[in-house]
């Protein structure tokens, strides 16, 4: 199992869940993926929970603040892209019409971050690691293995991420649908599909994929734990078998058996 101490700039390096019910979400995900955890205090009765696999940090979760709860913000996973200089990348993103939500600011000695909406409305963050590189395991069972953008305007999204992060891309046919694969050097870093009218009013978003050994067994466990299977186990030719899930607090994510 590969262990990361640094992530290549321009690749996804961390994921965290902002949950409407942190305690219940922790119980759900740790039971589903057999993760352990480390609750790190960040305030009175508040914790930033490091999610761990084999003793290594692979993600985190925390309780949504009352202000966002009052506004009805749903639980959501936030994905981070590794950068060498947060401030420089943030300026590039702003010039490309991104909207800054938070930062740039230091997170103790761990690193420096910023969060924003890209022009089509998908939210993500950037991370300049210092003492903490981000996920210490990825692309393994029970860890993040893929990030996928659902975009309202694929051409505009390709332009944004290419100009800000230097991503290259190729467009492939996936069952009659154009699918963009973003790359950094020889590494595939993300995928993208364009939303059509069937998506309704759902906003553009980044989807987090966790790798599993058995998709059907995972979905059975999801149901036992009170989650909802939104897209049943479905084969992706030459890739694997995936499903889209909503946790009991409303946060969505995907699993894939490769």
């Amino acid at each position: 199992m590969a262990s990361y101490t640094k992530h290549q700039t321009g690749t996804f390096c961390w994921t965290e869940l902002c949950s409407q019910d942190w305690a219940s979400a922790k119980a759900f995900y740790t039971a589903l993926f057999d993760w352990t955890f480390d609750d790190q205090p960040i305030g009175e009765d508040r914790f930033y929970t490091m999610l761990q696999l084999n003793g290594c940090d692979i993600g985190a979760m925390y309780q949504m603040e009352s202000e966002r709860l009052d506004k009805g913000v749903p639980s959501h996973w936030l994905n981070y892209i590794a950068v060498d200089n947060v401030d420089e990348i943030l300026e590039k993103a702003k010039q490309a019409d991104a909207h800054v939500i938070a930062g740039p600011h230091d997170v103790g000695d761990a690193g420096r971050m910023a969060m924003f909406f890209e022009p089509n409305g998908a939210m993500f963050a950037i991370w300049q690691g210092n003492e903490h590189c981000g996920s210490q395991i990825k692309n393994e069972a029970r860890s993040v293995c893929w990030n996928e953008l659902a975009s309202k305007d694929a051409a505009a999204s390709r332009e944004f991420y290419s100009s800000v992060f230097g991503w290259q891309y190729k467009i492939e046919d996936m069952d009659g649908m154009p699918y963009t694969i973003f790359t950094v050097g020889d590494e595939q870093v993300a995928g993208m599909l364009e939303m059509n009218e069937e998506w309704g009013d759902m906003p553009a978003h980044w989807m987090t994929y966790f790798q599993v050994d058995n998709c059907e067994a995972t979905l059975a466990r999801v149901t036992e734990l009170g989650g909802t299977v939104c897209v049943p186990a479905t084969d992706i030719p030459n890739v694997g078998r995936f499903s889209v899930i909503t946790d009991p607090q409303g946060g969505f994510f995907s699993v894939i058996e490769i």
Side-chain angles (χ1 to χ4, degrees):
M1 181 177 292
S3 180
Y4 286 80
T5 57
K6 182 177 176 58
H7 292 273
Q8 181 179 356
T9 185
T11 65
F12 283 92
C13 65
W14 189 242
T15 190
E16 68 184 14
L17 176 68
C18 176
S19 178
Q20 291 185 342
D21 186 339
W22 159 81
S24 296
K26 184 170 67 169
F28 172 82
Y29 284 100
T30 55
L32 178 62
F33 292 119
D34 196 23
W35 290 335
T36 54
F37 60 89
D38 177 20
D39 291 337
Q40 300 186 357
I42 54 174
E44 186 176 354
D45 296 325
R46 289 181 55 81
F47 301 90
Y48 189 75
T49 297
M50 290 292 190
L51 301 167
Q52 298 179 328
L53 176 62
N54 298 327
C56 297
D57 296 339
I58 51 89
M61 65 173 57
Y62 63 95
Q63 173 66 44
M64 186 181 296
E65 304 89 340
S66 58
E67 293 81 2
R68 286 196 280 181
L69 282 172
D70 292 342
K71 292 178 181 179
V73 175
S75 298
H76 57 275
W77 286 94
L78 176 68
N79 298 295
Y80 287 69
I81 297 173
V83 299
D84 291 330
N85 188 305
V86 161
D87 299 79
E88 288 182 3
I89 293 297
L90 190 58
E91 285 305 311
K92 282 187 178 182
K94 288 163 63 176
Q95 291 171 13
D97 295 327
H99 172 68
V100 180
I101 304 170
H105 61 257
D106 293 325
V107 183
D109 294 329
R112 187 166 176 81
M113 68 160 290
M115 184 193 324
F116 43 82
F117 289 112
E118 45 105 306
N120 278 293
M123 181 174 65
F124 69 99
I126 54 178
W127 179 252
Q128 179 184 334
N130 184 20
E131 294 296 322
H132 200 283
C133 73
S135 301
Q136 295 168 322
I137 296 174
K138 64 179 184 179
N139 302 322
E140 301 281 354
R142 298 185 287 140
S143 69
V144 175
C145 65
W146 192 239
N147 294 276
E148 183 179 79
L149 175 64
S151 172
K152 296 284 189 180
D153 186 337
S157 291
R158 283 190 287 266
E159 174 61 27
F160 174 80
Y161 290 99
S162 296
S163 65
V164 175
F165 297 105
W167 286 357
Q168 303 297 308
Y169 62 85
K170 58 182 178 180
I171 302 172
E172 299 185 347
D173 179 81
M174 183 177 289
D175 289 337
M177 176 188 68
Y179 189 82
T180 300
I181 296 178
F182 291 109
T183 59
V184 172
D186 295 331
E187 182 175 350
Q188 294 185 357
V189 297
M192 179 180 67
L193 51 82
E194 188 167 63
M195 306 168 77
N196 57 28
E197 63 278 358
E198 295 178 2
W199 293 74
D201 296 331
M202 181 178 293
H205 59 273
W206 278 100
M207 173 70 79
T208 307
Y209 281 74
F210 295 97
Q211 185 173 326
V212 296
D213 289 326
N214 186 301
C215 194
E216 275 78 6
T218 301
L219 300 189
R221 187 65 172 141
V222 165
T223 302
E224 291 175 4
L225 294 169
T228 302
V229 177
C230 302
V231 176
T234 304
D235 288 324
I236 305 174
N238 303 315
V239 177
R241 191 163 176 79
F242 88 105
S243 175
V244 180
I245 296 163
T246 302
D247 70 29
Q249 293 73 44
F252 62 84
F253 63 100
S254 292
V255 296
I256 186 165
E257 175 188 343
I258 299 173

